[in-house]
Amino acid sequence: MNIKRVLLVGCPRSGTTILQAILSSHPKVFSLPETHFFPALCSKNSFIRKLGLSTLKAKKVLLEIEQQFISQPTISTSRFSHRLTKQFLDLLDRITDSQEKSLWLEKTPQNLWFLPFIEKFSSKFKIIHLEREPKDVIASIHYAAMKYPESWGYQDLDETINLWSNSREISNKFRNAPGHLHCRYEDLVDRPKEIIRDILSFINLEFIDDLHQKSMQQRKVISRENEHWKKEISKGLKKTNSRFYAHFTKEQQNYVLAAIESQNT
């Protein structure tokens, strides 16, 4: 079983969901809703991390995936994080193989923050970083946080800016690194066939012409019913007006632009 493993990462609200929808439309790709396995596995308790122990939350994620896709679940979850990770990766390999596909794509944007930890467990990963115009990312995060406060943090504008800034800093550490590909959302919108071709070449899949058109049918495959902020997947890939000017006051716009500029100097 020679299954390819791909992670799609980036700052939240960078367009990772629509890119996941496009790539998961490929007949050789298996994908699923965000698992949050690695964020769940990396306990906030430093003592547990040093001992290399897995968490109950990560075990629950693994078992829920197995129950969803495997008719006769058999996994006995390990108490150790490195073994639980192997169980997670092997499970996604098995599911992919059982569906007669050759690659699985896991899209949890926050995996970006755990890449050094993740890459310790496998050299097989290909990792796609999706980036987006900073002011639009910040506006989109803050808009989602205010509209869906029960599901999102970052109602505080400074926290939103810091999320973008920290994500960019981490992603930059992997720029031009082997096994990593950085793409811009704006390029994907402007030149979808070219960018999709480049991505498929990176992950060793043949190009299929109409993937970005088929992606509109993928919402139920890659998102959950309560993830209302992902409903725009159904509209497909298209240019939209920037939420930055509609969502923020003029004072907030100036504050955000000044914060972005300070990061660029």
Side-chain angles (χ1 to χ4, degrees), residues 20-255:
Q20 181 191 18
I22 292 169
L23 296 178
S24 64
S25 300
H26 195 288
K28 292 295 184 181
V29 174
F30 164 74
S31 195
L32 70 171
E34 296 176 17
T35 69
H36 294 269
F37 173 79
F38 289 108
L41 183 64
C42 295
S43 173
K44 295 180 180 179
N45 186 317
S46 60
F47 182 68
I48 291 177
R49 291 200 307 273
K50 287 179 181 178
L51 290 177
L53 299 177
S54 54
T55 64
L56 292 175
K57 190 173 182 181
K59 290 179 181 180
K60 182 181 178 183
V61 169
L62 179 62
L63 292 175
E64 286 178 348
I65 295 172
E66 185 187 35
Q67 290 168 3
Q68 181 178 356
F69 292 100
I70 303 296
S71 58
Q72 295 182 325
T74 60
I75 292 178
S76 177
T77 55
S78 174
R79 69 180 66 182
F80 297 105
S81 60
H82 69 284
R83 291 180 183 171
L84 193 73
T85 297
K86 186 177 186 305
Q87 289 178 319
F88 173 73
L89 299 177
D90 288 347
L91 174 61
L92 293 187
D93 285 353
R94 279 198 293 136
I95 295 170
T96 303
D97 186 61
S98 70
Q99 297 192 8
E100 299 183 347
K101 299 177 186 290
S102 62
L103 178 152
W104 57 255
L105 171 69
E106 204 284 328
K107 191 280 287 189
T108 299
Q110 294 88 338
N111 281 342
L112 173 66
W113 309 330
F114 300 94
L115 287 182
F117 174 82
I118 293 170
E119 290 190 311
K120 290 179 182 178
F121 294 100
S122 175
S123 59
K124 291 177 61 176
F125 285 120
K126 291 290 187 74
I127 299 170
I128 302 167
H129 300 246
L130 189 61
E131 303 170 305
R132 186 181 176 192
E133 172 65 35
K135 72 178 190 302
D136 294 332
V137 174
I138 293 168
S140 188
I141 295 169
H142 197 259
Y143 172 82
M146 301 304 289
K147 187 170 183 179
Y148 306 106
E150 70 285 353
S151 301
W152 282 77
Y154 306 105
Q155 284 81 21
D156 181 87
L157 183 54
D158 284 323
E159 290 182 358
T160 304
I161 294 170
N162 288 337
L163 173 61
W164 161 75
S165 177
N166 293 337
S167 298
R168 186 182 73 160
E169 181 180 355
I170 295 169
S171 185
N172 281 340
K173 293 179 181 178
F174 297 92
R175 201 170 296 277
N176 300 320
H180 292 256
L181 177 69
H182 287 71
C183 307
R184 284 180 50 82
Y185 175 76
E186 289 76 16
D187 292 339
L188 179 64
V189 172
D190 289 340
R191 310 191 309 276
K193 289 186 179 181
E194 176 186 341
I195 301 305
I196 293 168
R197 188 187 299 274
D198 289 345
I199 294 172
L200 291 176
S201 175
F202 171 69
I203 59 178
N204 299 314
L205 289 181
E206 68 171 307
F207 176 72
I208 295 178
D209 190 53
D210 59 348
L211 287 185
H212 62 292
Q213 296 169 338
K214 293 180 178 179
S215 66
M216 292 181 284
Q217 305 165 14
Q218 291 296 103
R219 183 185 176 192
K220 291 183 179 180
V221 176
I222 64 171
S223 66
R224 297 179 176 87
E225 287 297 324
N226 62 345
E227 293 178 320
H228 305 296
W229 54 90
K230 294 183 179 180
K231 61 185 179 182
E232 293 185 2
I233 303 172
S234 305
K235 299 179 181 178
L237 188 64
K238 63 179 183 178
K239 291 184 179 180
T240 58
N241 294 327
S242 173
R243 185 164 271 136
F244 178 77
Y245 299 102
H247 176 65
F248 287 136
T249 65
K250 186 64 176 178
E251 182 180 0
Q252 289 174 318
Q253 292 172 26
N254 292 335
Y255 185 78

